[in-house]
Amino acid sequence: VQLQASGGGSVEAGDSLRISCAASVTMYTFSRYSLGWFRRAPGKEREFVVAIGRSGGSTPYVESVKGRFTISRDNAKKTVYLQMNNLKPEDTAVYYCAAKSTILTHTPTREDEYDYWGQGTQVTVSS
C-alpha cells in the first residue's frame, strides 16, 4: 500500500492550503480504511491532528486547529484531504497521512494504531 501526500507549500499567515493523500489500493479497500493526519513541527514529536472513519465521521481535532482545519475523504478518488484555513506560523510542519483497515465503529487516533504511512508533505507558514 502506498500513500502519496501532496499539496504542501510555503504560504503566509492567514492563507489556506488543501493537502491530499492518495492511496494505491482499490476503491473497496480504501473504503474500509480509517485515515489520519499527523504532523511533526521542527524540533517536536509527531502529533495527531485528526482522523476520519469509514462512515465519514471525524474524530475531534487537536485543539490548536479546531475551527480552521477540516478533514474529508473521497472514496471514489481514494483520497483523503485536509483543508487548512487561516494558517498560522505554528502550523509549520511536515504533514503525514496514515491508513488502517478498521471496523465501522473505531477510528484510530494513535500513531501505533496505523499500518500505512505517506511520505509527508511540508507546510511552511510565514508571519
Side-chain angles (χ1 to χ4, degrees):
V1 176
Q2 289 188 329
L3 300 175
Q4 182 69 45
S6 62
S10 296
V11 297
E12 295 185 349
D15 286 349
S16 298
L17 270 179
R18 188 179 76 162
I19 56 177
S20 305
C21 179
S24 63
V25 296
T26 66
M27 188 170 69
Y28 172 76
T29 298
F30 185 84
S31 71
R32 298 178 68 83
Y33 285 165
S34 288
L35 302 146
W37 284 102
F38 294 76
R39 66 183 182 182
R40 177 180 282 136
K44 296 187 177 181
E45 298 290 318
R46 187 157 59 185
E47 69 168 347
F48 172 78
V49 177
V50 66
I52 188 166
R54 289 174 54 184
S55 63
S58 70
T59 63
Y61 292 76
V62 66
E63 188 66 32
S64 58
V65 309
K66 282 182 180 178
R68 300 187 296 120
F69 288 15
T70 304
I71 190 171
S72 62
R73 64 188 294 162
D74 186 333
N75 288 347
K77 295 183 178 179
K78 301 171 288 182
T79 300
V80 60
Y81 304 96
L82 187 65
Q83 176 68 43
M84 304 182 292
N85 297 329
N86 190 22
L87 282 160
K88 302 178 179 181
E90 52 264 41
D91 295 319
T92 294
V94 178
Y95 285 72
Y96 299 90
C97 57
K100 178 179 176 61
S101 182
T102 64
I103 60 175
L104 275 172
T105 56
H106 178 61
T107 304
T109 60
R110 300 196 322 263
E111 284 190 48
D112 60 2
E113 293 185 276
Y114 283 90
D115 296 322
Y116 309 108
W117 289 84
Q119 85 286 4
T121 186
Q122 176 71 48
V123 173
T124 302
V125 185
S126 59
S127 57

